[in-house]
Structure formats: structure tokens, C-alpha cells
């Protein structure tokens, strides 16, 4: 079992930047792809993929909505993953979840084996 602990998040104005971090621990942490999902505040909004990175950090994947604005990175020695979010928009407002799983960086929710507790990101207009 992989344990994930997130940090970062908060309130920022439109156009601003935030950085999320996630620390992984556990037996399989070094062999798992890691990524970020988010779930917006609208009723019935499903959790959606944001970005993922392979366990060696050599391959990444992004949702179209964040390409060119968000960057995922991984420190394999420390078993941490970060998400640098630039040019934030109000529609990026959501709870962001760190995720880990044995699949590649383009992970779907079905391939996630461990979730973080979530961290709130709010972008004001």
C-alpha cells in the first residue's frame, strides 16, 4: 500500500500560480506512476485526470485543459511529485488529489491504487 500526503493549494487570483506537492511512502511507492486528479465544486462533477508522470519520471501526460500551464515533476530519490500550476483560471478551482498506480502516466481513475486526502485550490476572478 502506498501512502500519499499532499501539501500546497490555497486561494489565488486568476492568472496567478500555485505549487502542489505530494510525498509517497510504502513498499510500492518507487514502482508506481504518480499523478494528479481534480474534482470541481459543481454537483455531480466527476473526478478528472489532470497530469501524470511515469515512475522513472521520463514520461508525462496532461489533460488538454492544462497543457502549457501546468507542469508535473518527480523526484525519484525522495519519492515526491509536484504540480506547478501557472496562469490559473477560475475553472481550475477544485479539490486536487494526488494519485499513484501501476499503470503509465495517462492514468484513469480505475488504475489508481492509492489516493491522497485532497487539497483545495480556489482561483478567484
Amino acid at each position: 500500500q502506498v501512502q500519499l500526503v499532499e501539501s500546497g493549494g490555497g486561494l489565488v487570483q486568476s492568472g496567478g500560480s500555485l505549487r502542489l506537492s505530494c510525498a509517497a511512502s510504502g513498499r510500492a511507492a518507487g514502482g508506481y506512476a504518480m499523478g494528479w486528479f481534480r474534482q470541481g465544486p459543481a454537483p455531480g462533477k466527476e473526478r478528472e485526470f489532470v497530469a501524470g508522470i511515469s515512475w522513472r519520471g521520463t514520461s508525462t501526460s496532461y489533460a488538454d485543459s492544462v497543457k502549457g500551464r501546468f507542469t508535473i515533476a518527480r523526484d525519484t530519490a525522495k519519492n515526491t511529485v509536484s504540480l506547478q500550476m501557472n496562469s490559473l483560471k477560475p475553472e481550475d478551482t477544485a479539490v486536487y488529489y494526488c494519485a499513484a498506480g501501476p499503470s503509465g502516466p495517462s492514468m484513469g481513475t480505475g488504475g489508481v491504487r492509492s489516493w491522497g486526502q485532497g487539497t483545495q485550490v480556489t482561483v478567484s476572478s
Side-chain angles (χ1 to χ4, degrees):
Q1 184 72 15
V2 178
Q3 292 80 43
L4 302 173
V5 178
E6 300 142 343
S7 60
L11 174 64
V12 66
Q13 289 188 334
S14 181
S17 298
L18 281 174
R19 181 182 178 90
L20 306 181
S21 295
C22 175
S25 60
R27 291 185 62 185
Y32 274 13
M34 294 182 71
W36 293 91
F37 288 73
R38 67 186 181 186
Q39 190 163 15
K45 183 77 172 177
E46 294 186 350
R47 195 170 295 188
E48 63 177 4
F49 172 79
V50 175
I53 189 165
S54 61
W55 78 274
R56 292 185 183 273
T58 55
S59 179
T60 58
S61 180
Y62 295 93
D64 288 343
S65 58
V66 306
K67 281 181 180 176
R69 300 189 298 124
F70 291 11
T71 302
I72 190 169
R74 183 168 190 166
D75 185 330
T76 55
K78 297 181 179 179
N79 263 337
T80 59
V81 64
S82 63
L83 185 69
Q84 178 66 41
M85 305 184 292
N86 298 328
S87 303
L88 282 162
K89 306 174 182 180
E91 51 263 44
D92 294 318
T93 295
V95 177
Y96 283 70
Y97 296 90
C98 183
S103 61
S106 302
M107 55 178 67
T109 54
V112 175
R113 294 294 177 265
S114 295
W115 293 99
Q117 77 281 4
T119 185
Q120 178 69 46
V121 171
T122 303
V123 185
S124 62
S125 58

